[in-house]
Amino acid sequence: MSFTKRLIIHLGELQRNPPPLCYAAPKDFDHDITHWTGYIDGPEDTPYAGGRFHLSIYFSDTFPFKAPE
């Protein structure tokens, strides 16, 4: 299975069952599925409550054997 197909499968799983306080998706699905953007919301009752922490995620062609950056 190519890594782009795997990324599409993971995206579908995230859309069907989104994790709490998190979001991630390709920045431009039609042109580059390897660059994702996302965020993590700070959990309540922590010093991070009310914060939103943005991410840029890059997947190499060795995914899933090499973690994204």
Side-chain angles (χ1 to χ4, degrees):
M1 175 185 310
S2 75
F3 83 102
T4 55
K5 287 181 184 178
R6 183 175 295 273
L7 289 175
I8 292 169
I9 289 169
H10 286 299
L11 176 60
E13 292 170 359
L14 283 171
Q15 291 173 335
R16 282 189 303 279
N17 188 19
L21 306 175
C22 299
Y23 169 81
K27 185 174 182 176
D28 184 353
F29 184 85
D30 294 328
H31 293 102
D32 185 7
I33 194 164
T34 65
H35 179 202
W36 291 30
T37 60
Y39 60 80
I40 300 171
D41 287 330
E44 296 299 319
D45 301 323
T46 71
Y48 305 104
R52 178 166 279 181
F53 305 92
H54 295 270
L55 311 167
S56 286
I57 307 162
Y58 297 92
F59 294 90
S60 73
D61 59 356
T62 57
F63 177 80
F65 302 106
K66 182 181 176 203
E69 296 178 16

